[in-house]
Structures are given as structure tokens and as C-alpha cells.
Amino acid sequence: MPPPSDIVKVAIEWPKEFPRLMEIDQKKPLSSIIKEVCDGWSLGNYDSFALQHADGTNFYITEKNRNEIKNGAILRLTSSPAHTALQLHEKIQSSSMDAKLEALKDLANSSRDITFAQEFINLDGISLLTQMVESGTERYQKLQKIMKPCFGDMLSFTLTAFVELMDHGIVSWDTFSVPFIKKIAGYVTKSSGDTAVLQRSLAILESMVLNSHDLYQKVAQEITIGQLIPHIKGSVCIICFNLTNILIQRFFLNLFNVIRSNKTIKPEMSHQLYVLQVLTFNLLEDRMMTKMDPQDQAQRDIIFELRRIAFDVESEPNNSGSIEKRKSMYTRDYKKLGFINHVNPAVDFTQTPPGMLALDNMLYFAKHHQDAYIRIVLENSSREDKHECPFGRSSIELTKMLCEILKVGELPSETCPDFHPMFFTHDRSFEEFFCICIQLLNKTWKEMRATSEDFNKVMQVVREQIMRALTTKPNSLDQFKGKLQNLSYTEILKIRQSERMNQEDFQSRPIIELREKIQPEIMELIKQQRLNRLCEGTCFRKISSRRRQDKFWYCRLSPNHKVLHYGDLEESPQGEVPHETLQEKLPVADMKSIVTGKECPHMKEKGALKQNKEVLELAFSIVYDSEEYLNFIAPDKNEYCIWTDGLNALLGREMASDLTKSDLDTLLNMEMKLRLLDLENIPIPEAPPPIPKEPSNYDFVYDCN
């Protein structure tokens, strides 16, 4: 009879004692289980003890995660998180250098566990570490020349513990002072060659600018791009690039000079400009996802300001007429402004996206392009209701569209070089972009002679006009405006007609049948390419709850496609790793399925912090046996697609990644063009050619015998 599902058989270790084998009843409170273990070794005061995994992670077992204990697990009886946190809190303040160094080392290791981190933070541990950094450990800096290695290790462990504690998201980044930021920036600008200290310092600065707008301003004052460049070639180049891309916003004008020059921009520079563009627009995400509070008077005042500018009612006293008369007047004006809710326009901005970002754009347009704003509002308010282009509704939908086109809120691609030079020519480029497009929308509305029922059709045409103008990569907003002038509604109709005629040739039945015949050959070619790449193998980073790791492992498919070989590496390899040197094996026949993203077991343990979103898109796992997993985090999206495609091909399943779709489309179109190339400009007769007469003799035939 199988054991109950609530019973887990484990081994529990205790120093200088033989491990105990025992059964844990998951229905019992964890405290009673710890008491039972302590009684077995005659240990008193069981409240000061806890259980933790003995698998190297040393994570504590709590009521929340106890269900993750599996049969055969090895646990360790140890001091409770609260007791350990109190001991380390006292030891790091010790006057003994050796005791202090050992305590900081243990703290850096223990802080990876959120249970311990919470206890240490409750003891005001973050403030203690901050004070140690702010003071610069002056007492020990005097001894730095005679004990430099010890000082470097002490500072490295202090910063490591700080990074690990802050990565749990328990404490807000907004709480740190300017002296602390200056000290951390000093470790970067005045680095003495200690890579560990430099890496931790850059990680802290990166987290600051990502998680707090106020801290971004302070960090930008303390560190410059020139001070980061010397570190880019080192082992911390990725962190430097991330930090550089954020701080580089201070150099918009210099970048524009580079863009305007006739020199060819290298792919590396194009990618960095693309990343900068994405990060800049991502600053709009907060406003895009912020709903308007109809009860917030400050926000409602913005709508009043839009009404005042449009209808010049500044001199009108607020208390003129009765309340009913003023409400009626406001409703009339809000209708002219094109809001959906005439009584309370604030309700129009409760949808996210675009949220408050739409109202910000409308106010910017009204203040900085006042003549155009007034002209659009008054022009539409004088039309018939059904022909009126509603400014309010149009602005909201247009803002939402622009956010989709510019992918506001999405993470930058690893390799994309696609940036738009015109967005580097103005410090309020998104708002100016909106101002141009809202005028385009009003112009297109008139050209289409649209009514309220045609609103969605107009938005589709405007989207096409914007996208076609952006593909030409204008160097300035004025050039973009000029491109739109040449893309009137009439011109869009001509372009559509021309494209439709060109596509008709490829929609004929013989062409479609040819594509269907060729497609299996192309898919087989893609499949072989994926399997060949798996045979070459890939280096992956070790999976851990820590944000950064320097350990690697390698996985590759055997040439006969029957076994996956994998194993740990000390450092990133320069080429292929022979499968004979990889210790572990996984037969392909044992593979059951492939899971990705949130379905992966190593992603279910991840927190909801912002920095884990990118990792989630690169995670996949191989399920083998029953509940066993081989977990991966791909180095980039391309490798993710290659491996998931290849593994699915090994399982006889469909390769459905975006890369496969792109490769199939490219290769299929190329093959179609090659096969149809010989028929170009060659007339094909309707009747078959006549069969020639038989020759009078066959003397020209050569007999091989």
C-alpha cells in the first residue's frame, strides 16, 4: 500500500551526529516537527531552531514552501532565521576584523533566502549596511595599505549582502541618501581594480535608476558616461551597458549630431540607440497605466484648462449663473471638445492604456500648439454632429495607437538595430509626435468625409500613414511631417490598389498549390538546421534565485540525435565543448514534453520583480520520467527559439516559434521567386506544340553494346 500523500520521507542532519531518517507529516505544524527533531537529539529551546535544505541553497523551510519538500530530500537542523540574523547583526559590528569579515561573508550567502532577509531587515539591517558604506569604514580604510585584501573582501561582502537583500523587493529604493549614492559612485569612478566591488557597485546603481526616478536624477549627477566606458570591456560590460543606456539621455544633442552626420552608423551603435529609444519611451509607462481619479481636483483642473484655452472663458466668473446653468454650459463645451462622457469627461481617462498619458498629450498640444488646437476644436464644433471629428476621443485612441507602434512598456530586443533618428531631435519627442499625428488625423477625417460610424476606419488609415512614414526613417520631426503630406488618403488608396494588383498574381490557384508543395521541403530544411545547431551545443548560465551568476553549464545533442549531453563548466567556453567531456546524459527517448515560461518549475519560484520579466521569456524545461525536469534559461531569444524548435522536432511535434515562421516565410518566398524566375516575360502558348514526324532512319543512335 503506498504511503499517504501527506507523508514525506527525509533525512535530517545535525553536526557531529548521524543523520536521522524520519517521516514528516505535512498536516502537522512545522514547529511541532522541529520540536520532534530536537527531542531526538536532546536539544532544548526548540524555538531557536529551524530546518533548511542541505542542497547548497541553504534556503529555510517555512509554512509557505514546505509543500516543496520531496521524498528523499536531505534537510539540515540549524539556527532559526531570527536567531541567525541577530547573531550576524551583532558580529558585523564586532571590533575583531576576522570575526567581522566572517560574519559579512555568511551574511552575503544567507541573504539570498527571503526568509532570512526579512528577519535581518526587521533588525534595521539595511540601515546598518548603509551606514558602513557611507562611513567608508574609515577605521579600516586607514589600514587599507597594510591589509588591502582583507578590506577589499570586507567591502565586497558588504555590497553583495546589500544587493541580495534589496533584490527581494522588501525595502524601497527611494529611502537612500545622497552620501550613500556618492560612496557607491566613488567605487565605480575610482575603482582600484577590485572586480567584485565594481560589479556590486554597478548593480546597485543600475537598480537605483531602474526603480526610482528621483534616484536616477541623483545618480546622473554623480557619474558620467566617460567614467563608465573604461569598464565596458571588462567582465561587467553588460551592467555598464545597461547603466550607460539610461544615463546617456543627458547626451541627446551630441547623439543627434552623430545621427545628422553623413557617416554610416555601425550596427553596434544602431542597437544602442534603439535600446536608448525603447528605454526613453518606457518612461511613459507609468502615466500610460495610471487611471484618472474623477474625484481628484488637480486632475480635473487639466480638463478645465483644455476648455479654457479652447473657448477663452478665462474672464468668465466661476460663480456666474445658477449651478444648473453652469453644468449645462460645461456639458455643451465638453461635447464640442469631443469627449465621450459629456457630463464627466474624467471617466474617459479611466481606461489603461492610455490612461493619463492621453490627457498629458492633449494639454501639451493645447499649450504648445495653441492655434492648431483651437482651430481643430472650433472647426469640428461647427460641423454637423455626425461629421464632427471628436478631439477628445481621437486623442485617447491616437495615444493608445502611438504606444502600440512604439511598443511603450516592452523590453528591448537583444539585437534589434531599428531606431528612429527623429526621436532624438527633441526633448519632448513623444508629445511632438502626438501633435503632428493628431493634426494628421483631423486632416484625414476631412479627406475621407467621415462620419462617427467611420471612426475605426479613419484610425486604420491614420495608422497606415504613420507606419509608412516611419519606415522611411526621417531624420527630424519636420521631415516626418513632410512625409505625411505626401501620404494623403488618396495616395493611400493608390498604394493599396497597386499592392493588391501585385499580390493577385500570387493568389492564383497554381501558385498556391506550388507553395503548398514546396512548404514541407522547407520545413524539413529548417528542422535539420535546428537539429544541427543542437548538435553544436549552447552554453547556458546556471539557474539560481540570484540575479547574477558567473557559473555556466553546456548542453548539446549527440550526432545520432539520441542523447542530450550536459555538464557544468568553470567558465564560458570559446568554442564547442566535446560531448565526451560532459558528464550527464538524458536519452531523447525519455523526454516527455517541453514546457515554457510560467509553466517551468524554476520560473514558478521567481518573484514578480521587474527584472525577472525578461528571464521569463527565455525559460524552458524538458520534462522526463514523471516529475523530473531539466531547466534552461536561454542566453537570448534566438537561442530560445532554436532550442525549443529543436526539442519539439525531436519529440515529433510542430515547430511553432516566431523564428520558424520568419525563416519559413523568407525561404518559401525565395524558393517561389527562383522557381518562377524562368517564366518571366516568356509567353506560354495556349495549345501544346505539335509532335514532330519520325525520322527516316535511326543511324544517329549509338549502341553502347
Side-chain angles (χ1 to χ4, degrees):
M1 182 177 179
S5 58
D6 294 323
I7 302 300
V8 182
K9 295 182 179 181
V10 299
I12 301 180
E13 298 177 342
W14 176 249
K16 299 181 181 180
E17 298 286 349
F18 287 107
R20 289 189 59 197
L21 301 178
M22 65 178 295
E23 295 182 348
I24 292 180
D25 187 351
Q26 293 286 35
K27 292 182 179 179
K28 287 185 179 181
L30 190 58
S31 57
S32 63
I33 296 173
I34 295 173
K35 183 178 185 304
E36 182 181 345
V37 175
C38 292
D39 291 342
W41 278 309
S42 302
L43 300 173
N45 193 20
Y46 67 90
D47 289 337
S48 62
F49 289 95
L51 293 174
Q52 65 180 184
H53 292 280
D55 58 359
T57 62
N58 297 332
F59 286 170
Y60 283 98
I61 295 170
T62 63
E63 292 289 356
K64 293 182 179 180
N65 63 23
R66 60 183 297 180
N67 290 328
E68 299 175 8
I69 303 175
K70 297 182 179 179
N71 279 317
I74 301 176
L75 309 181
R76 180 187 298 117
L77 183 66
T78 185
S79 298
S80 67
H83 184 69
T84 304
L86 183 60
Q87 283 186 327
L88 292 179
H89 191 274
E90 293 174 353
K91 286 182 179 180
I92 61 177
Q93 301 178 75
S94 171
S95 57
S96 169
M97 286 291 294
D98 293 337
K100 191 182 191 76
L101 182 61
E102 190 66 27
L104 286 170
K105 182 178 180 181
D106 291 342
L107 177 63
N109 184 55
S110 300
S111 296
R112 294 178 300 166
D113 183 13
I114 191 171
T115 308
F116 170 85
Q118 185 67 67
E119 296 292 343
F120 189 78
I121 290 171
N122 290 342
L123 295 173
D124 211 13
I126 293 288
S127 297
L128 177 60
L129 295 178
T130 304
Q131 291 170 8
M132 292 172 62
V133 174
E134 286 183 7
S135 64
T137 53
E138 295 174 359
R139 178 180 177 186
Y140 308 108
Q141 277 187 325
K142 296 177 181 178
L143 305 174
Q144 185 175 358
K145 292 183 179 180
I146 59 175
M147 51 190 309
K148 184 176 180 180
C150 181
F151 174 78
D153 291 341
M154 184 179 298
L155 181 57
S156 174
F157 289 138
T158 302
L159 297 178
T160 301
F162 179 84
V163 170
E164 296 291 354
L165 291 169
M166 291 301 299
D167 274 353
H168 293 296
I170 300 172
V171 179
S172 171
W173 284 94
D174 289 313
T175 58
F176 298 104
S177 63
V178 173
F180 178 76
I181 298 172
K182 288 185 176 181
K183 187 63 65 174
I184 296 297
Y187 294 142
V188 175
T189 58
K190 303 174 183 178
S191 175
S192 58
D194 194 324
T195 304
V197 173
L198 175 62
Q199 186 174 9
R200 304 303 184 274
S201 300
L202 286 168
I204 292 171
L205 294 176
E206 181 190 357
S207 296
M208 284 181 174
V209 298
L210 285 174
N211 290 282
S212 172
H213 179 71
D214 292 338
L215 287 182
Y216 158 69
Q217 300 290 346
K218 296 175 182 177
V219 170
Q221 294 174 2
E222 298 298 328
I223 197 165
T224 65
I225 306 302
Q227 292 167 328
L228 290 174
I229 289 176
H231 304 302
I232 289 180
K233 295 182 180 180
S235 60
V236 293
C237 62
I238 295 177
I239 311 174
C240 278
F241 266 127
N242 293 340
L243 189 55
T244 302
N245 279 326
I246 300 169
L247 297 178
I248 205 171
Q249 294 177 70
R250 299 166 59 194
F251 296 90
F252 271 144
L253 294 177
N254 291 338
L255 284 175
F256 180 48
N257 290 333
V258 174
I259 295 168
R260 291 183 63 183
S261 66
N262 295 324
K263 297 180 180 179
T264 303
I265 299 178
K266 295 182 179 179
E268 296 85 355
M269 183 63 173
S270 296
H271 173 65
Q272 292 304 318
L273 290 169
Y274 154 78
V275 173
L276 173 58
Q277 175 184 296
V278 173
L279 294 177
T280 303
F281 286 137
N282 281 357
L283 297 175
L284 304 170
E285 184 180 8
D286 287 341
R287 294 295 284 175
M288 181 183 73
M289 301 307 295
T290 300
K291 296 181 179 180
M292 184 172 185
D293 182 3
Q295 306 303 321
D296 190 327
Q297 187 59 43
Q299 295 180 358
R300 295 177 64 184
D301 286 343
I302 299 177
I303 298 178
F304 293 152
E305 181 68 5
L306 290 173
R307 174 179 172 269
R308 183 197 66 78
I309 296 174
F311 304 112
D312 193 24
V313 292
E314 185 175 16
S315 59
E316 181 182 303
N318 292 330
N319 57 354
S320 63
S322 63
I323 296 177
E324 289 76 12
K325 182 179 179 181
R326 276 183 287 150
K327 285 185 177 179
S328 175
M329 181 175 59
Y330 290 164
T331 301
R332 180 199 65 200
D333 291 344
Y334 292 149
K335 184 177 183 299
K336 291 180 180 180
L337 282 169
F339 291 112
I340 299 174
N341 192 315
H342 305 156
V343 178
N344 185 8
V347 178
D348 290 8
F349 301 95
T350 55
Q351 179 187 2
T352 56
M356 288 295 293
L357 185 60
L359 188 58
D360 294 343
N361 285 339
M362 293 169 68
L363 183 62
Y364 181 90
F365 181 50
K367 286 188 172 182
H368 294 81
H369 300 271
Q370 193 171 114
D371 292 342
Y373 167 69
I374 294 174
R375 185 182 67 253
I376 288 176
V377 173
L378 296 182
E379 184 179 279
N380 284 287
S381 62
S382 62
R383 295 177 184 169
E384 296 180 30
D385 287 349
K386 67 175 184 178
H387 287 288
E388 177 187 356
C389 178
F391 173 73
R393 181 186 176 190
S394 300
S395 298
I396 293 170
E397 292 300 322
L398 179 63
T399 301
K400 183 178 179 181
M401 179 199 295
L402 298 183
C403 290
E404 292 173 355
I405 292 174
L406 299 177
K407 300 179 180 180
V408 175
E410 295 186 18
L411 294 172
S413 166
E414 293 286 341
T415 56
C416 180
D418 186 22
F419 76 98
H420 296 284
M422 71 179 190
F423 291 126
F424 295 90
T425 63
H426 200 285
D427 57 353
R428 302 290 295 273
S429 59
F430 183 80
E431 289 85 347
E432 289 291 329
F433 185 44
F434 168 84
C435 294
I436 294 172
C437 294
I438 192 64
Q439 295 178 74
L440 167 71
L441 192 154
N442 188 66
K443 174 175 173 286
T444 303
W445 184 283
K446 291 187 292 184
E447 291 173 348
M448 293 178 66
R449 299 180 181 179
T451 62
S452 55
E453 289 81 7
D454 301 322
F455 184 86
N456 291 333
K457 293 181 181 178
V458 175
M459 295 303 296
Q460 291 174 2
V461 173
V462 170
R463 186 187 190 97
E464 184 174 349
Q465 290 171 313
I466 294 171
M467 293 299 294
R468 289 186 182 277
L470 286 177
T471 55
T472 63
K473 292 290 188 295
N475 285 331
S476 66
L477 290 166
D478 287 337
Q479 285 188 19
F480 173 71
K481 190 185 298 184
K483 297 290 183 181
L484 292 177
Q485 293 293 333
N486 298 325
L487 287 171
S488 63
Y489 175 59
T490 304
E491 186 63 26
I492 290 294
L493 290 179
K494 291 180 180 178
I495 294 173
R496 286 180 176 180
Q497 179 65 23
S498 175
E499 291 178 347
R500 192 179 301 114
M501 292 178 63
N502 291 333
Q503 290 176 357
E504 285 177 356
D505 293 339
F506 289 93
Q507 299 302 319
S508 60
R509 185 174 177 180
I511 300 297
I512 293 175
E513 290 178 355
L514 180 60
R515 288 179 67 92
E516 292 174 351
K517 183 179 179 180
I518 296 173
Q519 185 166 333
E521 302 175 13
I522 302 298
M523 286 301 296
E524 183 63 26
L525 179 64
I526 295 173
K527 175 183 174 181
Q528 291 302 319
Q529 188 273 339
R530 299 292 192 264
L531 294 177
N532 290 340
R533 281 286 290 103
L534 264 61
C535 291
E536 294 176 8
T538 301
C539 179
F540 300 92
R541 288 191 175 272
K542 292 286 286 184
I543 301 167
S544 171
S545 60
R546 302 187 65 183
R547 193 168 162 206
R548 296 176 182 84
Q549 285 287 329
D550 295 324
K551 295 183 179 180
F552 305 89
W553 69 290
Y554 200 88
C555 186
R556 63 178 298 178
L557 181 66
S558 62
N560 61 6
H561 300 172
K562 291 186 177 181
V563 180
L564 281 174
H565 298 269
Y566 62 96
D568 293 343
L569 301 175
E570 291 297 327
E571 58 184 14
S572 180
Q574 298 300 319
E576 293 185 21
V577 176
H579 58 80
E580 297 85 359
T581 63
L582 302 174
Q583 305 84 4
E584 304 291 337
K585 297 180 180 179
L586 173 59
V588 172
D590 292 346
M591 292 167 47
K592 305 297 183 185
S593 62
I594 308 297
V595 294
T596 60
K598 295 181 180 179
E599 299 301 320
C600 298
H602 57 308
M603 289 297 104
K604 293 178 181 178
E605 301 172 0
K606 292 280 183 181
L609 296 178
K610 187 173 182 179
Q611 53 264 36
N612 288 327
K613 293 181 181 179
E614 183 177 359
V615 176
L616 192 65
E617 297 178 353
L618 302 176
F620 62 96
S621 300
I622 299 175
V623 183
Y624 62 97
D625 290 340
S626 56
E627 294 296 330
E628 297 295 327
Y629 296 87
L630 184 60
N631 299 320
F632 298 77
I633 294 182
D636 52 51
K637 192 66 177 179
N638 189 66
E639 288 292 327
Y640 170 85
C641 293
I642 288 172
W643 273 85
T644 53
D645 283 342
L647 294 173
N648 279 318
L650 289 174
L651 293 172
R653 297 176 182 173
E654 181 184 0
M655 299 183 296
S657 73
D658 294 338
L659 184 61
T660 293
K661 295 176 183 177
S662 175
D663 289 349
L664 177 62
D665 186 59
T666 301
L667 294 173
L668 197 55
N669 288 336
M670 185 183 300
E671 184 68 17
M672 288 291 296
K673 290 177 180 179
L674 288 174
R675 295 203 180 194
L676 296 174
L677 186 63
D678 294 337
L679 300 179
E680 188 174 358
N681 297 324
I682 297 178
I684 299 177
E686 295 182 1
I691 299 175
K693 295 180 180 181
E694 292 187 4
S696 58
N697 61 69
Y698 294 91
D699 294 341
F700 55 86
V701 177
Y702 178 75
D703 188 356
C704 296
N705 298 324

